[in-house]
Amino acid sequence: MSLQDAEFQWPSGYRAAASFTFDVDAESCALAEDPATADRMSLMGHQSYGPRVGVPRLLRILRRQGVRATFFVPGMTADTYPDMVRSIVDEGHEIAHHGYMHERMQGLDAATEASILDRGIESLQRLTGRLPTGYRAPWWEMNWHTPELLAERGFRYDSSLLDDDVPYRLQPDAVGARSLIEIPVDWALDDWEQYAFFPGWTGSGVIESPMKALEMWSLEATARHAENGCFVLTNHPFLSGRPAKAYALERLIEQVAQLDGMWIAPLEDIAAHAETVCTTGRTHRRPGVQFV
Amino acid sequence: MSLQDAEFQWPSGYRAAASFTFDVDAESCALAEDPATADRMSLMGHQSYGPRVGVPRLLRILRRQGVRATFFVPGMTADTYPDMVRSIVDEGHEIAHHGYMHERMQGLDAATEASILDRGIESLQRLTGRLPTGYRAPWWEMNWHTPELLAERGFRYDSSLLDDDVPYRLQPDAVGARSLIEIPVDWALDDWEQYAFFPGWTGSGVIESPMKALEMWSLEATARHAENGCFVLTNHPFLSGRPAKAYALERLIEQVAQLDGMWIAPLEDIAAHAETVCTTGRTHRRPGVQFV
Amino acid sequence: MSLQDAEFQWPSGYRAAASFTFDVDAESCALAEDPATADRMSLMGHQSYGPRVGVPRLLRILRRQGVRATFFVPGMTADTYPDMVRSIVDEGHEIAHHGYMHERMQGLDAATEASILDRGIESLQRLTGRLPTGYRAPWWEMNWHTPELLAERGFRYDSSLLDDDVPYRLQPDAVGARSLIEIPVDWALDDWEQYAFFPGWTGSGVIESPMKALEMWSLEATARHAENGCFVLTNHPFLSGRPAKAYALERLIEQVAQLDGMWIAPLEDIAAHAETVCTTGRTHRRPGVQFV
Amino acid sequence: MSLQDAEFQWPSGYRAAASFTFDVDAESCALAEDPATADRMSLMGHQSYGPRVGVPRLLRILRRQGVRATFFVPGMTADTYPDMVRSIVDEGHEIAHHGYMHERMQGLDAATEASILDRGIESLQRLTGRLPTGYRAPWWEMNWHTPELLAERGFRYDSSLLDDDVPYRLQPDAVGARSLIEIPVDWALDDWEQYAFFPGWTGSGVIESPMKALEMWSLEATARHAENGCFVLTNHPFLSGRPAKAYALERLIEQVAQLDGMWIAPLEDIAAHAETVCTTGRTHRRPGVQFV
């Protein structure tokens, strides 16, 4: 083991990368946990804020800043808000897969998980006319069989694991042929922990200031830029689409854009590049087997 | 779907609005959750601080700043502290409806909820001589039948939903005639999450500094002002009526007042204006039905 | 109800008061909740830090700053660490009552609570040779019968309620003769919520910076000073006796001492003064009865 | 009891000490709590980040800053990531004992705990060729019999108790001959409470900014330096090995290194020094017995 991993090679002229990603969960993430949340008008409205008000505001910001982003859209959100999804596509952003109903994948067998993946693919394909190339597990919860399921379905990348700072090639099975790119995430780069609160549903009860999130995420971008890393931020339009949080996000985008040689791109572009430089794959195994 | 929603039209000379609102829950919100809290002398005193000490201090601040505000008063609070309610009225502020005993409305059938609404109306009307025009659901928890119940009783506005940044016309039933104005709220603009703590009753255990709340709320006011939005702050006199929190609130009022073209008004005035500009209504439906 | 309560009259030359109080719970507050915590060596050591290391450091700070303080000492702490208590007395500070084993008083009948009070009195009297004049309920939890029990035992003041910003005369029973002074507290002025954490025992999991507590408490002192109020800070030596927290506390004492006309005194002195100016008493009643 | 404890004597030329310690828990701390966490690919990857990515980055920082540190390595981590452990040794840092599988020791009888200690010793000795001299209890949870078990096995120090600011000699049994050095820790000096979050496994839901941790830890180092104390920081590579947190840690190391007369050393060096100056031992006893 060398102390200095081989430096990740970004495209010519770039020394690091940043991607702004949005998980457009809307009502799905509440309904999947507990169908009875459908009875709670205030909670449902709080969630519908995302596609109705948050996404348009975020699209305006992204256009103003000249940034292309990735939107992870559960199939249910796509089926419910098709015009919203079309407006994202029209602005040139990427639509990627995020389950059908933001299902909690933990403990699901492969067949059940496969049927959810397929249902989400159908919804997105019906709406956008193309297969999604990217996947992010709801709640970022991958099963050991998930990478194989994704590779089988032609996904080119996943962005759900928390095990590195740069993209790598994920080989579901060391003896199999298929692989995909993993672009890791980080709980410190998710707006849910900073902002989410709804009594009886989610949140610690603490709501952080957008200025705290801006300061923290800006430091993270700077630190990753200094190490030729990859900064992947996850925002939820029902949270970060609200006025002060969106304001802070726009300031963050400006700060990130000023980092010299920072490549701001949707995840599909980062994955396409990673495919060219990540020549060998990593196979993860469930603990119990020696795995390094 | 256009990226830019039609801009909300504020009264001539104004570009945005702000309303300072106070939920005078006093003992009711504890007693409704668990009648046994009545045995806890310290908790009861902590809650009674609101009407006895907090409200007089807040009234002094509002008078000093020349601000008219909206006080949401559960019927039980009105029955218990009638002089306190009269002092609010005498200062020219609005008294609005907040349940009878700050009941948890979640899951209640329409008849039960209606009887609670009526009981609260009786208490306020007996004391103030007029019907309340505004309603805020205890715990901001609306049922799908609640708007209809409110419209039937002549309420002109509700302020409990979290689904927009500006007022809109809420049409309980698309085929019905009645409607009312919704003036949305935001969990990030409530002092409960920042400050509330009582062991065995409420709070995350974290108590934020009033300076943090001031910074966060001031940013929110600025961001909403910049987008021609509506800033609705919710404070509880048993929390924000205490010295340092009240100090921070007064600084916030000063900062908001300095925003060019910011209309500071009680919710009833904002609702009256919204009635003139919100010509078409929105009807929300319980998920399961396609709703956009 | 007048908007401006009659201003509290502080001794000549003073416009506000501050008291630094320390609850020397040591092991008692854990053992009373769960006797099995006695098996946890690390937790017991964490608690014993208070009397062994925290109190000596805090006494050095108080001497350096020329401040006399109030130490609330459960009987069990006094019995276990008699030399520590003597060192507090030798420095001229006040020793007051805090239960025998920091018992959770909630729901106890008057006879049981009385026997606990008596046991705590015995421990303190045996050690100090005098009856304590002050009481603070463990967990700040008073029962409606507690004031009567305190008055019967000759206590001159209590400091457990959260219902005002200045001392007042508490009349346990409007028709009875005895009364005592109440000097209210505030959850925002307690170090437990800012700092306490021990897995499986207490704390939200968030540990705040001493600089945050300093900023918040300093603002609170300033706001109370500006309103002729009373600033009562509660610290626990097993928390605020640790280096950085004690450092922040000393800075706070310096800042409070610089407020013009701020009277820094132990609670017994504040109570003695309040006895002279609080001529009429307040009787609190359990909700269910009209109480204002 | 004197107010001023005898000042701890640091080596000539030094007035205080600091030690940077790393608990390389990896998957063990999750698996020991619940073996079913092995099924959660994302959680396992989040934990494996520590030995795979975090430790190399931290070793680079330590080399750059010229600091020798102590790494507490559970046996399971050593067995799973032997090259990682060798890289720590090659850089001249200390490897110490942290259980076999980060077992929750609370309530274990002496025989069971002894067998865990022995299993951990075997793993470390097999890999490093020497017996570990230092121990830190998983979750910092010591039993009253643990010191005796440690002394029997030749450990020279423990670093799990929270009962002082400087090292001392811990005498498991006042009448026995063996003893060891205790170098206390502090929950405020652990990165877990500041940063850890994984849904359904750990964390309060609040994730603090690295700048907050830097400010708090820097103050703690300054306060301990001013009092001739000992600053022991605990970091977890799966947390503080991530980019922005590692950046903040490096800034902290720089600030600590600039404190005049601050001795930065691994715990084994501090323990070796303490052995020469701590001539009398302290024996702790389970409450129930008078213990000071």
Side-chain angles (χ1 to χ4, degrees):
Chain A
M1 172 180 280
S2 88
L3 286 193
Q4 180 69 57
D5 284 336
E7 190 178 290
F8 188 87
Q9 294 300 319
W10 294 106
S12 175
Y14 293 113
R15 56 179 291 187
S19 192
F20 295 90
T21 73
F22 299 90
D23 295 0
V24 194
D25 301 342
E27 296 89 346
S28 69
C29 56
L31 294 171
E33 298 295 290
D34 178 7
T37 56
D39 292 331
R40 299 178 68 183
M41 186 187 190
S42 298
L43 172 52
M44 290 296 104
H46 181 259
Q47 297 305 111
S48 77
Y49 181 100
R52 290 187 306 94
V53 184
V55 167
R57 176 176 285 123
L58 294 166
L59 291 176
R60 293 194 294 272
I61 288 174
L62 294 170
R63 182 191 284 181
R64 209 149 54 207
Q65 298 296 329
V67 165
R68 284 175 57 230
T70 298
F71 288 77
F72 290 96
V73 182
M76 185 195 185
T77 299
D79 290 351
T80 312
Y81 302 98
D83 288 348
M84 183 273 304
V85 176
R86 282 185 204 106
S87 72
I88 296 172
V89 173
D90 289 349
E91 290 287 310
H93 302 292
E94 177 191 6
I95 302 288
H97 195 295
H98 198 41
Y100 182 75
M101 205 173 160
H102 206 275
E103 291 85 358
R104 195 167 287 272
M105 299 296 193
Q106 195 178 333
L108 294 191
D109 60 56
T112 306
E113 189 167 349
S115 73
I116 293 171
L117 289 174
D118 290 336
R119 197 173 170 204
I121 290 171
E122 281 170 33
S123 291
L124 296 186
Q125 193 174 19
R126 192 163 48 229
L127 196 55
T128 68
R130 53 172 287 206
L131 284 172
T133 59
Y135 176 71
R136 174 171 288 162
W139 307 112
W140 300 359
E141 196 74 38
M142 297 273 275
N143 290 309
W144 296 99
H145 54 240
T146 312
E148 180 70 29
L149 297 178
L150 296 175
E152 285 171 4
R153 277 153 186 78
F155 282 99
R156 292 174 67 182
Y157 76 89
D158 168 72
S159 183
S160 316
L161 296 178
L162 306 104
D163 61 348
D164 212 329
D165 306 319
V166 287
Y168 63 86
R169 182 173 295 274
L170 174 59
Q171 192 92 20
D173 174 353
V175 299
R178 293 174 183 280
S179 66
L180 70 168
I181 297 296
E182 173 63 34
I183 310 177
V185 287
D186 186 336
W187 285 119
L189 290 173
D190 183 307
D191 65 350
W192 196 296
E193 288 66 47
Q194 304 303 316
Y195 300 142
F197 174 71
F198 209 104
W201 179 51
T202 196
S204 67
V206 174
I207 300 175
E208 298 284 22
S209 164
M211 285 296 107
K212 182 253 187 166
L214 171 58
E215 178 265 308
M216 183 165 73
W217 294 338
S218 180
L219 178 69
E220 199 73 54
T222 304
R224 287 163 190 262
H225 173 264
E227 299 202 35
N228 307 108
C230 188
F231 171 85
V232 179
L233 186 71
T234 299
N235 278 170
H236 295 78
F238 74 87
L239 296 168
S240 287
R242 293 181 193 262
K245 298 172 182 73
Y247 172 88
L249 177 60
E250 187 163 7
R251 297 294 80 73
L252 177 69
I253 292 173
E254 290 172 349
Q255 292 178 18
V256 170
Q258 286 170 13
L259 293 170
D260 184 53
M262 182 65 109
W263 180 35
I264 301 181
L267 291 179
E268 63 183 347
D269 290 11
I270 291 176
H273 168 71
E275 287 175 348
T276 67
V277 295
C278 300
T279 48
T280 57
R282 287 190 215 165
T283 302
H284 301 298
R285 290 204 184 79
R286 191 181 179 286
V289 184
Q290 208 71 358
F291 51 94
V292 154
Chain B
M1 173 178 280
S2 87
L3 286 194
Q4 180 70 58
D5 284 336
E7 189 178 290
F8 188 87
Q9 294 301 318
W10 294 106
S12 175
Y14 293 113
R15 55 180 290 188
S19 192
F20 295 90
T21 73
F22 301 90
D23 294 1
V24 194
D25 301 342
E27 296 88 347
S28 68
C29 56
L31 294 171
E33 298 296 290
D34 178 7
T37 57
D39 292 331
R40 299 178 67 183
M41 186 188 190
S42 297
L43 172 53
M44 291 295 103
H46 181 259
Q47 297 305 112
S48 76
Y49 182 99
R52 290 187 306 95
V53 184
V55 167
R57 176 177 285 123
L58 294 166
L59 290 176
R60 291 194 294 271
I61 289 174
L62 294 169
R63 182 191 285 181
R64 206 150 55 208
Q65 298 295 330
V67 165
R68 283 176 56 229
T70 298
F71 288 76
F72 290 96
V73 181
M76 186 193 185
T77 299
D79 290 351
T80 312
Y81 302 97
D83 288 348
M84 183 273 303
V85 176
R86 283 185 205 108
S87 72
I88 295 172
V89 173
D90 289 349
E91 290 287 311
H93 303 292
E94 176 190 6
I95 302 288
H97 195 295
H98 198 40
Y100 182 76
M101 204 173 160
H102 206 274
E103 291 85 358
R104 196 168 286 272
M105 299 296 194
Q106 196 179 332
L108 293 191
D109 60 57
T112 306
E113 188 167 348
S115 73
I116 292 171
L117 290 174
D118 290 337
R119 196 172 172 205
I121 290 170
E122 281 170 32
S123 291
L124 297 186
Q125 193 174 18
R126 192 162 48 229
L127 197 54
T128 68
R130 54 173 286 206
L131 283 172
T133 59
Y135 176 72
R136 173 170 289 162
W139 306 112
W140 299 0
E141 196 75 37
M142 297 274 275
N143 291 309
W144 296 99
H145 54 241
T146 313
E148 181 71 27
L149 297 178
L150 297 175
E152 285 171 3
R153 277 154 186 78
F155 282 100
R156 292 175 65 181
Y157 76 89
D158 169 72
S159 182
S160 316
L161 296 177
L162 306 104
D163 60 348
D164 212 329
D165 306 319
V166 287
Y168 63 86
R169 184 174 294 274
L170 174 59
Q171 191 92 22
D173 175 353
V175 298
R178 293 173 183 281
S179 67
L180 70 168
I181 297 296
E182 173 63 34
I183 309 177
V185 287
D186 186 336
W187 285 120
L189 290 173
D190 183 307
D191 66 348
W192 196 296
E193 288 65 47
Q194 304 303 315
Y195 301 142
F197 174 71
F198 209 104
W201 179 51
T202 197
S204 67
V206 174
I207 300 174
E208 297 285 23
S209 164
M211 285 295 108
K212 181 253 188 168
L214 171 58
E215 178 264 310
M216 183 165 72
W217 294 338
S218 180
L219 177 70
E220 198 74 53
T222 304
R224 287 163 189 262
H225 173 264
E227 299 202 34
N228 306 109
C230 188
F231 171 85
V232 178
L233 185 70
T234 299
N235 279 171
H236 295 78
F238 75 87
L239 296 169
S240 287
R242 294 181 193 260
K245 298 172 181 74
Y247 172 88
L249 177 61
E250 187 163 6
R251 297 295 79 73
L252 178 70
I253 293 172
E254 290 172 347
Q255 293 179 16
V256 170
Q258 286 171 12
L259 293 169
D260 184 53
M262 181 65 108
W263 180 36
I264 302 181
L267 291 179
E268 63 183 346
D269 290 11
I270 291 175
H273 168 71
E275 286 175 348
T276 68
V277 294
C278 300
T279 48
T280 58
R282 286 190 215 164
T283 301
H284 301 298
R285 291 204 183 80
R286 191 181 178 288
V289 183
Q290 208 71 0
F291 51 95
V292 156
Chain C
M1 174 180 279
S2 88
L3 286 194
Q4 180 70 57
D5 284 337
E7 191 178 289
F8 188 87
Q9 294 302 319
W10 293 105
S12 174
Y14 293 113
R15 56 180 289 188
S19 192
F20 295 91
T21 74
F22 300 91
D23 294 1
V24 195
D25 301 342
E27 296 89 346
S28 69
C29 56
L31 293 171
E33 298 296 290
D34 179 7
T37 56
D39 292 332
R40 299 179 67 184
M41 187 189 190
S42 298
L43 172 52
M44 290 296 104
H46 181 259
Q47 297 304 111
S48 77
Y49 181 99
R52 291 186 306 95
V53 184
V55 167
R57 175 176 285 122
L58 294 166
L59 290 177
R60 292 194 294 272
I61 288 174
L62 294 170
R63 182 191 285 181
R64 207 149 56 207
Q65 298 295 330
V67 164
R68 283 176 57 229
T70 299
F71 289 76
F72 290 95
V73 182
M76 187 193 184
T77 299
D79 291 350
T80 311
Y81 302 97
D83 288 348
M84 183 272 303
V85 176
R86 282 184 206 108
S87 72
I88 296 171
V89 174
D90 290 349
E91 290 286 311
H93 302 293
E94 177 190 6
I95 302 288
H97 195 295
H98 198 40
Y100 182 76
M101 204 173 160
H102 207 274
E103 291 85 358
R104 195 168 287 272
M105 299 296 193
Q106 195 178 333
L108 294 192
D109 61 56
T112 306
E113 188 166 349
S115 74
I116 292 170
L117 289 174
D118 290 336
R119 196 172 172 204
I121 291 170
E122 280 171 32
S123 290
L124 296 186
Q125 193 174 18
R126 192 162 48 229
L127 197 53
T128 68
R130 53 173 286 206
L131 283 171
T133 60
Y135 176 73
R136 174 170 288 161
W139 306 112
W140 299 359
E141 195 75 39
M142 297 274 276
N143 291 309
W144 296 99
H145 54 240
T146 313
E148 180 70 28
L149 296 179
L150 296 175
E152 285 171 4
R153 277 155 185 77
F155 283 99
R156 293 174 65 181
Y157 76 91
D158 168 73
S159 183
S160 316
L161 297 176
L162 305 104
D163 62 347
D164 212 330
D165 306 319
V166 287
Y168 63 87
R169 183 174 295 274
L170 174 59
Q171 191 92 22
D173 176 353
V175 298
R178 295 174 182 279
S179 67
L180 70 169
I181 297 297
E182 173 62 34
I183 309 176
V185 287
D186 186 335
W187 285 119
L189 290 173
D190 182 307
D191 65 349
W192 196 297
E193 288 65 47
Q194 303 303 315
Y195 300 141
F197 174 71
F198 209 104
W201 179 51
T202 197
S204 68
V206 174
I207 300 175
E208 297 285 22
S209 164
M211 285 295 108
K212 181 254 189 167
L214 171 58
E215 178 264 308
M216 183 165 72
W217 293 339
S218 180
L219 178 69
E220 199 74 53
T222 304
R224 286 164 190 261
H225 173 264
E227 298 202 35
N228 307 109
C230 188
F231 171 85
V232 178
L233 185 69
T234 299
N235 279 170
H236 296 78
F238 75 87
L239 296 168
S240 287
R242 293 180 193 262
K245 298 173 182 73
Y247 172 88
L249 178 60
E250 188 164 7
R251 297 294 79 73
L252 177 70
I253 293 173
E254 289 172 348
Q255 293 178 18
V256 170
Q258 286 171 12
L259 293 169
D260 184 52
M262 182 65 108
W263 180 35
I264 302 181
L267 291 179
E268 62 183 347
D269 290 10
I270 291 175
H273 168 71
E275 287 176 348
T276 68
V277 295
C278 300
T279 47
T280 57
R282 286 190 215 164
T283 301
H284 302 298
R285 292 207 181 77
R286 191 180 178 288
V289 183
Q290 207 72 357
F291 51 95
V292 156
Chain D
M1 173 180 279
S2 87
L3 286 194
Q4 180 70 56
D5 284 337
E7 191 179 289
F8 188 87
Q9 294 301 318
W10 294 105
S12 174
Y14 293 113
R15 55 180 289 186
S19 191
F20 295 91
T21 73
F22 300 91
D23 294 1
V24 195
D25 300 342
E27 296 88 346
S28 69
C29 56
L31 294 170
E33 298 296 290
D34 179 6
T37 56
D39 292 331
R40 299 178 67 183
M41 186 189 191
S42 298
L43 173 52
M44 290 296 103
H46 181 259
Q47 296 305 111
S48 77
Y49 182 99
R52 290 187 306 95
V53 184
V55 167
R57 176 176 285 122
L58 294 166
L59 290 177
R60 292 196 294 273
I61 289 174
L62 293 170
R63 182 191 284 181
R64 207 149 54 208
Q65 298 296 331
V67 165
R68 283 175 57 230
T70 298
F71 288 76
F72 289 96
V73 181
M76 186 195 185
T77 299
D79 291 351
T80 311
Y81 302 97
D83 288 348
M84 183 273 303
V85 176
R86 282 185 206 107
S87 71
I88 296 172
V89 173
D90 289 350
E91 290 287 310
H93 302 293
E94 177 191 5
I95 302 289
H97 195 295
H98 198 39
Y100 182 75
M101 204 173 161
H102 206 274
E103 291 85 359
R104 196 167 286 272
M105 299 295 193
Q106 195 179 333
L108 294 191
D109 60 57
T112 306
E113 188 167 348
S115 74
I116 292 170
L117 289 174
D118 290 337
R119 196 172 172 204
I121 290 171
E122 280 170 32
S123 291
L124 296 186
Q125 193 173 18
R126 191 163 48 230
L127 197 53
T128 68
R130 52 173 286 206
L131 284 172
T133 59
Y135 175 73
R136 174 170 289 162
W139 306 112
W140 300 359
E141 196 75 38
M142 297 273 276
N143 291 309
W144 295 100
H145 54 241
T146 313
E148 180 71 28
L149 297 178
L150 296 175
E152 285 171 3
R153 277 154 187 78
F155 282 99
R156 292 174 67 181
Y157 77 90
D158 169 72
S159 182
S160 315
L161 297 177
L162 305 104
D163 61 348
D164 212 329
D165 307 319
V166 287
Y168 64 87
R169 183 174 296 271
L170 174 59
Q171 191 92 20
D173 175 353
V175 298
R178 293 174 184 280
S179 67
L180 70 168
I181 296 296
E182 173 63 34
I183 309 177
V185 286
D186 186 336
W187 285 119
L189 290 172
D190 183 308
D191 65 349
W192 196 296
E193 287 66 48
Q194 304 303 315
Y195 300 141
F197 174 70
F198 209 104
W201 179 51
T202 196
S204 68
V206 174
I207 300 175
E208 297 285 22
S209 164
M211 286 295 107
K212 181 253 187 166
L214 171 58
E215 178 265 308
M216 183 166 73
W217 293 339
S218 180
L219 178 69
E220 198 75 52
T222 304
R224 287 165 189 260
H225 172 264
E227 299 202 35
N228 306 109
C230 188
F231 172 85
V232 179
L233 186 70
T234 299
N235 278 170
H236 295 78
F238 74 87
L239 297 168
S240 287
R242 294 181 192 261
K245 298 173 182 73
Y247 173 88
L249 177 61
E250 187 163 6
R251 297 294 79 72
L252 177 69
I253 292 173
E254 290 172 348
Q255 292 178 18
V256 170
Q258 285 170 13
L259 293 169
D260 184 52
M262 183 65 108
W263 179 36
I264 302 181
L267 291 180
E268 62 183 347
D269 290 10
I270 291 176
H273 168 71
E275 287 176 348
T276 68
V277 295
C278 299
T279 47
T280 57
R282 286 189 216 165
T283 301
H284 302 298
R285 291 206 183 79
R286 191 181 179 286
V289 184
Q290 206 72 358
F291 51 93
V292 154

